[in-house]
Amino acid sequence: MAEGELTCSYLVAYNQDMDKVFKALADATRRQLLDLLYQNNGQTLSELCDHLDMTRQSVTKHLVILEEAHLVVVEWQGRHKRHYLNAAPIAEIYDRWIGKYERQRIDSLVELKRKLEEDTHG
């Protein structure tokens, strides 16, 4: 292997990133945190803790997992760390795992509609 050449394929990196997203979404508390950020983006740790019945340390651990999955990004504003929802990884899941199957269903419905209209008007 030449110097500077990548040792893993794009697919391997993609799967590792997707694994982190699925792991992050598998937990109800992390999904609740994402819902809270969807409702009011840019919250501090204290603001997020106000909605959860757990310690700050526990919420922080969940936020770290969400950050590692790129579902949450942080921005420092002075001494305050604000958390923002990043929906891009969820969109990637939709495109990869949901959208393609939904497309088949929509195409089937369009074809059924066309056939029914043919039978009715033909």
Side-chain angles (χ1 to χ4, degrees), residues 97-112:
W97 294 101
I98 299 167
K100 68 181 175 184
Y101 299 108
E102 186 175 270
R103 183 77 242 163
Q104 292 171 344
R105 186 174 55 94
I106 291 170
D107 290 345
S108 296
L109 289 173
V110 168
E111 181 63 18
L112 176 62

Side-chain angles (χ1 to χ4, degrees), residues 1-119:
M1 183 179 325
E3 186 177 327
E5 196 172 312
L6 293 177
T7 58
C8 65
S9 71
Y10 167 76
L11 187 57
V12 171
Y14 171 80
N15 287 335
Q16 289 173 349
D17 288 344
M18 291 303 278
D19 286 348
K20 288 180 182 180
V21 174
F22 281 114
K23 177 186 174 188
L25 293 174
D27 183 85
T29 299
R30 292 191 285 271
R31 291 191 306 269
Q32 185 178 4
L33 283 166
L34 293 175
D35 287 340
L36 290 168
L37 291 173
Y38 176 78
Q39 293 166 4
N40 184 19
N41 217 1
Q43 294 185 60
T44 64
L45 176 60
S46 295
E47 292 168 332
L48 291 168
C49 287
D50 288 344
H51 301 285
L52 300 168
D53 188 26
M54 60 178 52
T55 65
R56 289 174 61 90
Q57 292 80 8
S58 295
V59 174
T60 298
K61 287 180 182 180
H62 286 293
L63 286 170
V64 166
I65 292 170
L66 291 169
E67 288 176 46
E68 288 173 353
H70 306 289
L71 289 164
V72 169
V73 292
V74 297
E75 180 180 299
W76 285 93
Q77 292 180 346
R79 295 184 333 179
H80 299 283
K81 184 178 180 181
R82 300 227 170 249
H83 300 83
Y84 293 91
L85 173 65
N86 177 25
I90 296 171
E92 289 176 19
I93 288 173
Y94 177 83
D95 291 343
R96 172 68 174 92
W97 294 101
I98 299 167
K100 68 181 175 184
Y101 299 108
E102 186 175 270
R103 183 77 242 163
Q104 292 171 344
R105 186 174 55 94
I106 291 170
D107 290 345
S108 296
L109 289 173
V110 168
E111 181 63 18
L112 176 62
K113 179 181 182 275
R114 186 189 64 73
K115 286 182 179 180
L116 289 172
E117 287 174 348
E118 258 179 28
D119 291 346

